[in-house]
Amino acid sequence: MVWKGYRRGVEFMKIDLTGPLLNALDKASSEFKDAKERGDYKKAKRKAFDCARILRELAKHVPSQRRAYLEKAEKWERIAKQVEESGSRKEVEKSGVDEEDFTSYIQNLIARSEVRWSDIGGLDEVKRLMMETIVIAGLQKPESIKPWKGILLFGPPGTGKTMLAAASAGSLNATFFNVKADKVLSKYFGESSKLVSALYSVARDRAPSIVFIDEFDALSLSRSGDVSEASRRMLSTLLSELDGFQDKKSDRLILTLAATNTPWDLDQAVLSRFPRRIYVPLPDVRACEEIIKIHTKGLDTSKLSIHELAEMCVERLYSGRDISNLCQQAMWNMIRDVNKDLHKLAELPYDELKNKSLKTRPLTMEDFYLAFEKVKSPLTKKDVERYEKWNEEFGG
Ligand SMILES: Nc1ncnc2c1ncn2[C@@H]1O[C@H](COP(=O)(O)OP(=O)(O)OP(=O)(O)O)[C@@H](O)[C@H]1O
Ligand SMILES: [Mg+2]
């Protein structure tokens, strides 16, 4: 980030040192490793102190990541002291920073996907596109037919993007890596690009794999154009993984799905790696009907006009998530209505509570009318138009 400012009327320019500092950190930490491996503990100690010093410098330059950098600096200082005290190879290795830490973090990103295509209401066209893509990727095919490596899912919040990614993984029986870009960045800041390489290496070993990058916008150029050096590096590593130059076992399926609510923030470099861009829109009337049915499963809906409810949802610009909240609210209205003393049950000991059962009755339109007042869509018509316009121009 380079920013301008004014001091006593004189324009001055502050230059971002994050990049060079991160490079210096990479260098010092790999020199530390080399020295440690060779048993040159004197040099290893010096390099560990260098790392700590550079991290303290970084903490000054990137206020938003100050704490993370300071913690890392302290870690390096501890390592340096251990090298000094023991000089023993074994103990130093135990305190080493990266690989072990990465491996366990990556293991934690592997999620079991329980979502099935039938759990997703509406989105027929989107589901068809995703299934096609996945089937093509999995089938034997002539060499000239290249499956998509990256698919971008974009659309308003709560429309089922995460569900679609999870259902794809479920139907393929693929290893599903659920990566939240901003979480990786805040945990591994300066090292997040190394984490991405490590992640793809595990994904290759465990193919077929689906790497799902949620909140992709955290990596992209934001409105202000203000993006940290660390995000830039993480993104460029990710893009080179997508280019596939590092893909040694190229016949194995590794599909990268990325989801965003703000596709207009993505720059050309990113878009060119995601030629398949799938719009996940707000549900139409028929989709709303299906989503209402999914979220009232097991309850008596015979007294409802689901069609009327669906029209109300469309009018209010509800997403699938809003509809799920609506159904929950309506269900609670029904439950409170027929279990007047529900709160008193809270005082019962658990054993007695276990033997009581909730009374229910069919859901009514009234339960829903009350619920509509509680659920507000965060969107305006203008927001929706913006998605549609972007879709016309860049989607496909
Ligand atoms: N099409 C749908 N069918 C059924 N349920 C849905 C649908 N879309 C959303 N939901 C409900 O809303 C919840 C949120 O959906 P999901 O996490 O997939 O949204 P998202 O598009 O990833 O949102 P965000 O952009 O905020 O990450 C789901 O857990 C589900 O309960
Ligand atoms: Mg999501």
Side-chain angles (χ1 to χ4, degrees):
M1 163 195 358
V2 177
W3 71 92
K4 282 182 177 177
Y6 294 89
R7 188 188 285 156
R8 284 195 215 109
V10 184
E11 186 176 335
F12 70 95
M13 196 175 236
K14 211 164 169 182
I15 295 169
D16 181 23
L17 288 175
T18 325
L21 284 170
L22 285 170
N23 288 335
L25 180 64
D26 278 350
K27 187 157 171 271
S29 101
S30 80
E31 283 174 349
F32 163 81
K33 238 192 222 153
D34 286 349
K36 192 185 75 181
E37 266 159 28
R38 282 197 323 268
D40 182 352
Y41 295 116
K42 223 167 150 183
K43 183 165 182 194
K45 179 186 143 195
R46 220 173 48 239
K47 291 296 158 190
F49 273 128
D50 281 352
C51 290
R53 194 176 43 77
I54 296 166
L55 281 157
R56 287 195 182 279
E57 201 56 35
L58 275 164
K60 278 191 232 155
H61 282 272
V62 193
S64 63
Q65 296 292 331
R66 194 169 163 270
R67 267 184 66 147
Y69 278 139
L70 289 179
E71 274 171 21
K72 288 218 165 111
E74 282 165 16
K75 205 163 172 181
W76 275 109
E77 276 152 6
R78 280 198 298 279
I79 292 173
K81 285 197 184 108
Q82 275 174 359
V83 183
E84 184 173 37
E85 280 162 19
S86 64
S88 123
R89 196 186 174 104
K90 212 163 161 228
E91 278 179 51
V92 178
E93 255 164 20
K94 252 199 319 205
S95 56
V97 213
D98 6 68
E99 272 86 15
E100 290 250 313
D101 200 14
F102 281 176
T103 315
S104 69
Y105 188 74
I106 291 167
Q107 291 301 330
N108 286 332
L109 295 176
I110 298 180
R112 263 190 62 78
S113 167
E114 306 286 345
V115 181
R116 299 282 165 259
W117 294 113
S118 58
D119 297 328
I120 305 175
L123 298 177
D124 296 340
E125 179 64 13
V126 177
K127 282 199 261 183
R128 200 175 56 79
L129 283 173
M130 299 278 292
M131 285 187 220
E132 267 174 22
T133 311
I134 280 158
V135 167
I136 289 178
L139 288 178
Q140 297 280 348
K141 56 201 155 297
E143 236 173 74
S144 55
I145 301 179
K146 294 256 181 291
W148 307 102
K149 282 191 178 164
I151 302 181
L152 178 74
L153 298 171
F154 69 94
T159 45
K161 297 181 289 299
T162 301
M163 287 186 96
L164 285 162
S168 315
S171 76
L172 260 185
N173 240 332
T175 317
F176 184 50
F177 296 83
N178 194 347
V179 186
K180 287 222 159 65
D182 57 340
K183 288 232 171 82
V184 170
L185 271 175
S186 65
K187 187 164 164 60
Y188 285 104
F189 199 60
E191 287 159 309
S192 41
S193 85
K194 282 192 210 151
L195 182 99
V196 170
S197 310
L199 172 80
Y200 274 87
S201 142
V202 177
R204 274 190 290 274
D205 286 342
R206 306 194 44 167
S209 294
I210 289 189
V211 180
F212 177 52
I213 302 173
D214 212 350
E215 275 138 55
F216 192 52
D217 22 305
L219 291 183
S220 59
L221 275 177
S222 67
R223 273 141 296 226
S224 56
D226 176 8
V227 66
S228 74
E229 179 67 25
S231 334
R232 231 194 302 269
R233 286 169 160 236
M234 182 169 162
L235 184 63
S236 80
T237 308
L238 187 78
L239 296 184
S240 69
E241 291 289 349
L242 277 165
D243 284 341
F245 292 134
Q246 294 157 19
D247 196 353
K248 286 166 202 107
K249 304 173 197 156
S250 57
D251 56 328
R252 308 185 100 196
L253 169 68
I254 299 157
L255 183 64
T256 303
L257 298 178
T260 181
N261 299 139
T262 51
W264 36 82
D265 284 342
L266 303 176
D267 65 15
Q268 202 46 47
V270 174
L271 288 179
S272 66
R273 261 63 159 232
F274 289 93
R276 196 80 170 121
R277 302 160 200 154
I278 299 182
Y279 180 33
V280 187
L282 289 182
D284 59 14
V285 174
R286 211 175 60 77
C288 286
E289 289 175 5
E290 281 182 37
I291 301 174
I292 293 171
K293 285 182 194 150
I294 290 172
H295 287 281
T296 50
K297 221 182 241 159
L299 299 166
D300 186 342
T301 55
S302 56
K303 293 218 164 96
L304 297 178
S305 162
I306 291 187
H307 184 73
E308 185 189 323
L309 293 177
E311 281 179 335
M312 290 176 76
C313 291
V314 171
E315 210 174 285
R316 287 167 172 71
L317 304 178
Y318 275 9
S319 66
R321 183 181 287 134
D322 296 325
I323 298 176
S324 157
N325 289 340
L326 177 82
C327 295
Q328 282 291 315
Q329 288 280 350
M331 186 195 72
W332 275 106
N333 291 341
M334 177 273 281
I335 287 181
R336 279 196 208 102
D337 183 36
V338 284
N339 299 270
K340 294 276 190 244
D341 291 330
L342 198 59
H343 62 283
K344 288 194 190 143
L345 294 182
E347 284 152 28
L348 289 181
Y350 179 69
D351 276 345
E352 267 179 67
L353 196 60
K354 245 185 1 197
N355 299 323
K356 301 244 179 235
S357 57
L358 275 182
K359 287 186 216 131
T360 60
R361 61 155 170 73
L363 285 166
T364 63
M365 293 301 273
E366 193 59 36
D367 295 327
F368 274 89
Y369 294 148
L370 286 173
F372 272 113
E373 285 166 28
K374 296 255 168 73
V375 180
K376 294 267 172 298
S377 160
L379 298 169
T380 64
K381 280 229 160 65
K382 241 187 160 154
D383 298 326
V384 178
E385 277 163 19
R386 192 169 185 197
Y387 285 107
E388 315 239 289
K389 208 161 147 252
W390 198 88
N391 183 38
E392 268 168 37
E393 207 167 329
F394 302 102

